[in-house]
Structure formats: structure tokens, C-alpha cells
Amino acid sequence: LFEMFFIYFTIAFLCHYLNIKQKSCIIDLILISISIIGLVVLIFFRGIGGQLWSILCLENLTKYFQFFVFGILCKKYLNKFVNIINREYFKGGVILLFIGCLVLYFNDSFKMLYPLAYKGVHDILIRYLGVLVVFITFYHYRDNSDKKTIFNKYLLLIGQRTLDIYLLHHFLL
């Protein structure tokens, strides 16, 4: 996460320092480009850097930077994002594609016959579709989260303590 914020703030600082017009659009394009480069590295060159790859956590950076950027873009263009995930065809399509990708992911013959397609399904499609399914589900049931049920109370507690849980998990395990 530190590396991701470092990249983001460095790009934002350079765009500001160089007095680039359309900063917001340029920053978005650079972040998307870095995400795509990270995906290519993840799929084709995973682990090629040896110990440096592990020390700098580059696998996690290439694996999760795309979601960092996706989150930034969703927040930045929230109204458009909400309009898209509210469409019934989009919801159904995402869920069906996610189920189809899971079927392909657990199909050993697909993995053996099409290893590059398998990596694309595993490293790109399942992850994005899974995140979208979670977004769609939570946004669909957002009105139920106001109800004072025991389940909602614990879900709220976990949501408020996610960073604490993450730090404990990282340092203790």
C-alpha cells in the first residue's frame, strides 16, 4: 500500500510541478498505463527479479495496484460508476461472467490447453468480476445496512476495524 501511494503521489506531484494542463486526465492515463504494465509483468515475467522481487513486494504491487487505481477511478467518477452498476443487464452480465470464469478456473483441461488464457482469467477477469460482484451486492443491499440487526452491527464493526485486523494478520502471521 505504501508503494502504491508513493507511485500515486509521485505522479500527482510531477504533474503539478510540471504545470501540466488536464492534470486529472493525465494522472488517470498514467495510472492506468502502470496498471496495464503491472498486469503484463504479472502474467509474463512473474518472479523474474529473484530476491529483489520478493524484498520489494513487487508481486503484490503488480497484483493489487490495478485495484488501487480502480478504486481511485471509481471514487473520482462515482456518479458514472453508480449508474453503471445499477443497470440490471450489467449486474446480470457480471454475475454470469464471474460464474463462467470460475468454471474455467477450476477446469484442469482449460488450464493445460490454454495456459495464457488461464492466467488472464485468473489474474484479471476473476479478480475484477469478483470485486464488481461485491460492489453490486453491497450497493444493492445498502438500504438494509441501516437496520439495527446483530449481523449489521458486527459487519459495521469489522468494516471499522479492517485496518486493525489487516495489521494484526500481517504482523502476527
Side-chain angles (χ1 to χ4, degrees), residues 1-7:
L1 190 58
F2 171 77
E3 291 170 327
M4 293 176 205
F5 273 111
F6 181 78
I7 292 169

Side-chain angles (χ1 to χ4, degrees), residues 7-20 23 27 30:
I7 292 169
Y8 176 66
F9 286 128
T10 301
I11 293 168
F13 175 76
L14 288 175
C15 285
H16 178 74
Y17 180 74
L18 297 174
N19 201 16
I20 296 175
K23 287 178 207 164
I27 291 171
I30 292 171

